[in-house]
Amino acid sequence: MPKKIILDVDPGHDDAIAILLAQGNPDIELAAITSVAGNQILEKTTYNAQRVATLVGATDIPIAAGAKYPLMREQITDGEVVAGSVHGVSGLDGPELPEPAMDLDPRHAAELIVDLVMAGEQDEYTLVPTGPLTNIVLAMRLEPKIVDRVKEVVLMGGAYTQGNATPAAEFNILADPEAAAAVFAAEWQVTMVGLDLTHQAVATPEIKERIRAIGTPISRVVVEWLDFFGANYDSVWKMPYPPIHDACAVARVINPSVVQVKEAFIAVETQGKWTYGETVTDFLGSYGLPFNNLAATTLDFDAFWDLIIDAIKQVS
Ligand code: BDR
Ligand code: CA
């Protein structure tokens, strides 16, 4: 039985590859896509989600727009561009994409999440957020029962060693730390697929060559995404190859052995002057608090890229 996921995204090049992976893997049923402001303003991330869903053939599932702004903090912006330095002015710069082949679902993302989860069986849905956690906390507040009902939350965000938006904080968490704090503290299992893990998922020249060799229009789009994203990663973070963060969360749901985890107590810092948005991760039990969540530690690089390459072939 394929595992049902609701993908909450802010595309974003790596969000786009996460959508592709979810759509192209036989062990996943992509039940819905919800969008949130993050890498760009909501209008752009929603449009990008629709265009990517159209590209990969995910045209018969609900797609709903969610939160325009974080819960409490001011939106991280640089003029209109949010994470423009990495994902470009559109939020998904690079190759041309098809116009959306579907209308938006009229519900708010949080309503759609609640409707699906509550109409489903116990443990039927896994939530996979790959942007700021605003929609997830809104859904929790709209219907607290979803916390018991979803199987788990497997999110891209956070880091236990070092951030990327600040030395302490990863972008998705820093974009809405109060939402993230509530999501990590809730009584469901959160798997944090953070930077420590995702920085292992880099698109090396050999990987790009394997994707190029698929030789389909979609494989060409993916190579161009990697080129655009990769060039910016190099200039902004001095990383020679771009990490495909968000697809790692989907890979964890597909096959847990691809993304190994360790139990930990994880909390989000919402007060610190220098550490706002840090995902404080206690593997040793120093705080004496129960290990409430999981932190991803080790990627099976070859198995991860095999999943991506198979998915590209599948949707092509
Ligand atoms: C996260 O931030 C965004 O720019 C990416 O899409 C990813 O979700 C990495 O820090
Ligand atoms: Ca993202």
PDB file of all heavy atoms in Angstrom, residues 112 164 207:
ATOM      1  N   LEU A 112      -7.797  22.248   4.297  1.00  0.00           N
ATOM      2  CA  LEU A 112      -7.638  21.043   3.472  1.00  0.00           C
ATOM      3  C   LEU A 112      -6.920  19.946   4.256  1.00  0.00           C
ATOM      4  O   LEU A 112      -7.334  18.777   4.243  1.00  0.00           O
ATOM      5  CB  LEU A 112      -6.860  21.394   2.196  1.00  0.00           C
ATOM      6  CG  LEU A 112      -6.514  20.215   1.284  1.00  0.00           C
ATOM      7  CD1 LEU A 112      -7.770  19.491   0.806  1.00  0.00           C
ATOM      8  CD2 LEU A 112      -5.698  20.692   0.080  1.00  0.00           C
ATOM      9  N   ASN A 164      21.696  27.892   8.314  1.00  0.00           N
ATOM     10  CA  ASN A 164      22.113  28.500   7.044  1.00  0.00           C
ATOM     11  C   ASN A 164      21.589  29.928   6.910  1.00  0.00           C
ATOM     12  O   ASN A 164      22.201  30.769   6.259  1.00  0.00           O
ATOM     13  CB  ASN A 164      21.697  27.647   5.832  1.00  0.00           C
ATOM     14  CG  ASN A 164      20.208  27.375   5.764  1.00  0.00           C
ATOM     15  OD1 ASN A 164      19.433  27.812   6.612  1.00  0.00           O
ATOM     16  ND2 ASN A 164      19.781  26.639   4.743  1.00  0.00           N
ATOM     17  N   ILE A 207      26.076  13.072 -10.772  1.00  0.00           N
ATOM     18  CA  ILE A 207      24.619  12.918 -10.624  1.00  0.00           C
ATOM     19  C   ILE A 207      23.914  13.695 -11.734  1.00  0.00           C
ATOM     20  O   ILE A 207      22.976  13.197 -12.377  1.00  0.00           O
ATOM     21  CB  ILE A 207      24.159  13.421  -9.228  1.00  0.00           C
ATOM     22  CG1 ILE A 207      24.704  12.524  -8.128  1.00  0.00           C
ATOM     23  CG2 ILE A 207      22.644  13.568  -9.166  1.00  0.00           C
ATOM     24  CD1 ILE A 207      24.146  11.115  -8.098  1.00  0.00           C
TER      25      ILE A 207
END
